[in-house]
Amino acid sequence: MGIWHVYLGDAPDDYVASLQVPHGTTLYRRFPAWFLAATVGMMRSGRSAFVSNPGEISSTRVEFLWGVVTSCLIIVGRIFGNPGYRTGIGSRDKTRPLSLGHEIATKMAAKSVWRDAASRELFGRGDVAPDWAFALSRWPASGERRYVVMSYRFDKPVPSAEVLQAVGAWAARKGKELVVVTQVARDFEANRNLAKQLDIRHIGTENASLIDVERVVRGTYAEASIVLGNRIHGLILGAVDGAIPAIILGHPDLKVGRTLRTAGLELQEGLGEIGPDDVDAYLDYIEDHRNDSEDGVQCAGERLRRLSLEIGNALG
C-alpha cells in the first residue's frame, strides 16, 4: 500500500512500540510536520489516500479543528484525484457551528463508515459497521469461564452498592468469582477503590506496559462468563474473547447499547440502569443466550474483514 505517514501526537511510548505498522512508515509526534507531509502527499495526483483514525467525535472546539484539518486534506485530495476515508467513527452529538468541520469532511469523503446507526443519522450520510475492535482475533482460552468481570470508567458513576452486591450474589450462586478489571490506566484508582468497597479482587497494574496489560486483561476475559460495565472496549474485548457483555450502569446509556447493537448484539442492551431486584433475571437471560452473543461477534468480525478488504483494494 505504499508509505504511511501516521500522526501520533503525545501517545504513550509503549503504545507506539506496540503498533504493528508497515515497513517504511513515518511516525509523527509534531502536528505541523505531519500536516505538511499529508498535504503534500494528497497533492500527488492519483498516488495517495487519507484515512482518518477511528474514535468518537463531538461538538467541541478541539473536534471542530480536527474536522477542519480532515476537511482540508480530503478536499485537497479530491482536487488531485486522491480519496479520503473516514471509518469507525461515532458521534456524541452534532451542534453547529462546532460540528461544521466534521460535516464537511463527511460530505467530501469517498467513504464514511460510522460505528453506530445513531451517528449516521446525525450526519445524514455514510455506512454503518461494527466497532473495529470486533475484528480482533480471540484470545486463547486457558480454562473454564470462572469469572464475572466488571470494568467501569473512572469518570462515570457506577451502579449502586445494592446492584453490585446483587451481581456478586448472582456470581456466587453460579460458582464464579466477581472481579474488577482495569483495562485503561486512568481507571486504575477508581477500579481499585471499587474492588475494596466490594471486598473482591482487582486485576490490573498502574504502570505496566500495554503489552503486559493486554496479556493480563484479555487472559481474564478469556476465562470470564460475563463482562459488565461502561468501558465500551472492555465489553467488546470481553465479547471477542468469549464472555457475554452486560450493560449494568449507574448513568443513562449514551453509546454503549448503540455500539453493541451495530454488531448484532441487541439482546445485550438489557435494562441499563437496573435495580437490584432485576439483576438475577437479566444476568440469567443473557447467560442463556450465549450462542446469540457469539454468533453476533463472529458476524461482526466478518463484516469488518470485508470492509477492510474493500478499502485495501481501493487503496491499491
Side-chain angles (χ1 to χ4, degrees), residues 22 28-29 50 54 56 58 76 83 87 145-146 166 170 191 223 234 240 245-246 248:
Y28 296 84
R29 291 289 195 175
F50 170 76
E56 187 174 72
S58 57
V76 170
T87 65
R145 296 202 170 272
R146 55 198 177 107
W170 181 90
N191 278 335
E223 296 184 18
V240 167
I248 297 181

Side-chain angles (χ1 to χ4, degrees), residues 130 134-136 138 236 239-242 263-265 290-306:
F134 281 105
L136 292 169
R138 176 175 288 198
I236 293 175
V240 167
D241 293 336
L265 303 179
R290 174 176 297 278
N291 290 339
D292 295 332
S293 176
E294 292 182 347
D295 289 346
V297 171
Q298 183 176 352
C299 290
E302 291 172 355
R303 288 171 62 189
L304 289 165
R305 283 185 283 274
R306 289 196 298 269

Side-chain angles (χ1 to χ4, degrees), residues 144 146-151 168 176-182 188 190-205 216-217 219-221 223-224:
E144 63 177 341
R146 55 198 177 107
Y147 297 125
V148 172
V149 172
M150 297 192 297
S151 183
K176 303 183 187 302
E177 180 185 358
L178 180 64
V179 298
V180 179
V181 167
T182 293
F188 178 84
N191 278 335
R192 183 175 63 177
N193 291 338
L194 176 62
K196 286 181 179 180
Q197 293 169 14
L198 297 174
D199 194 24
I200 61 176
R201 191 151 59 105
H202 173 230
I203 298 175
T205 55
V216 171
V217 169
T220 304
Y221 291 155
E223 296 184 18

Side-chain angles (χ1 to χ4, degrees), residues 120-201:
R120 189 217 176 275
E121 290 171 4
L122 280 174
F123 284 79
R125 64 179 65 233
D127 301 321
V128 178
D131 189 286
W132 280 108
F134 281 105
L136 292 169
S137 300
R138 176 175 288 198
W139 199 262
S142 59
E144 63 177 341
R145 296 202 170 272
R146 55 198 177 107
Y147 297 125
V148 172
V149 172
M150 297 192 297
S151 183
Y152 284 100
R153 297 174 58 101
F154 79 99
D155 56 350
K156 298 287 186 182
V158 298
S160 68
E162 292 78 14
V163 167
L164 295 181
Q165 288 166 1
V167 172
W170 181 90
R173 284 195 298 274
K174 297 291 183 176
K176 303 183 187 302
E177 180 185 358
L178 180 64
V179 298
V180 179
V181 167
T182 293
Q183 180 173 312
V184 178
R186 57 182 177 271
D187 295 338
F188 178 84
E189 190 67 27
N191 278 335
R192 183 175 63 177
N193 291 338
L194 176 62
K196 286 181 179 180
Q197 293 169 14
L198 297 174
D199 194 24
I200 61 176
R201 191 151 59 105

Side-chain angles (χ1 to χ4, degrees), residues 13-224:
D13 290 338
D14 58 344
Y15 169 80
V16 176
S18 68
L19 292 175
Q20 297 178 351
V21 296
H23 178 72
T25 296
T26 303
L27 304 178
Y28 296 84
R29 291 289 195 175
R30 295 179 60 250
F31 173 79
W34 170 80
F35 185 66
L36 176 60
T39 303
V40 171
M42 293 301 278
M43 294 173 67
R44 293 174 178 168
S45 183
R47 297 173 55 191
S48 300
F50 170 76
V51 182
S52 69
N53 62 301
E56 187 174 72
I57 61 175
S58 57
S59 300
T60 63
R61 293 181 180 180
V62 171
E63 284 297 332
F64 171 75
L65 293 175
W66 275 115
V68 170
V69 167
T70 302
S71 298
C72 290
L73 291 174
I74 291 176
I75 291 171
V76 170
R78 282 176 67 103
I79 294 171
F80 290 90
N82 296 315
Y85 298 93
R86 290 163 55 82
T87 65
I89 298 173
S91 180
R92 190 180 305 171
D93 52 35
K94 191 187 81 170
T95 305
R96 291 182 176 177
L98 295 177
S99 64
L100 284 173
H102 285 298
E103 289 185 58
I104 295 170
T106 300
K107 183 175 181 179
M108 302 301 290
K111 190 175 187 67
S112 288
V113 182
W114 303 95
R115 73 181 185 189
D116 58 75
S119 297
R120 189 217 176 275
E121 290 171 4
L122 280 174
F123 284 79
R125 64 179 65 233
D127 301 321
V128 178
D131 189 286
W132 280 108
F134 281 105
L136 292 169
S137 300
R138 176 175 288 198
W139 199 262
S142 59
E144 63 177 341
R145 296 202 170 272
R146 55 198 177 107
Y147 297 125
V148 172
V149 172
M150 297 192 297
S151 183
Y152 284 100
R153 297 174 58 101
F154 79 99
D155 56 350
K156 298 287 186 182
V158 298
S160 68
E162 292 78 14
V163 167
L164 295 181
Q165 288 166 1
V167 172
W170 181 90
R173 284 195 298 274
K174 297 291 183 176
K176 303 183 187 302
E177 180 185 358
L178 180 64
V179 298
V180 179
V181 167
T182 293
Q183 180 173 312
V184 178
R186 57 182 177 271
D187 295 338
F188 178 84
E189 190 67 27
N191 278 335
R192 183 175 63 177
N193 291 338
L194 176 62
K196 286 181 179 180
Q197 293 169 14
L198 297 174
D199 194 24
I200 61 176
R201 191 151 59 105
H202 173 230
I203 298 175
T205 55
E206 192 168 16
N207 299 311
S209 71
L210 287 178
I211 293 174
D212 289 338
V213 170
E214 181 182 32
R215 177 179 54 80
V216 171
V217 169
R218 297 196 67 186
T220 304
Y221 291 155
E223 296 184 18

Side-chain angles (χ1 to χ4, degrees), residues 226-228 235-236 238-239 243-247 260 265 268 282 286 293:
I226 289 175
V227 56
L228 58 95
L235 296 175
I236 293 175
I244 311 173
I247 304 176
L260 296 182
L265 303 179
Q268 259 59 25
Y282 175 51
I286 64 169
S293 176

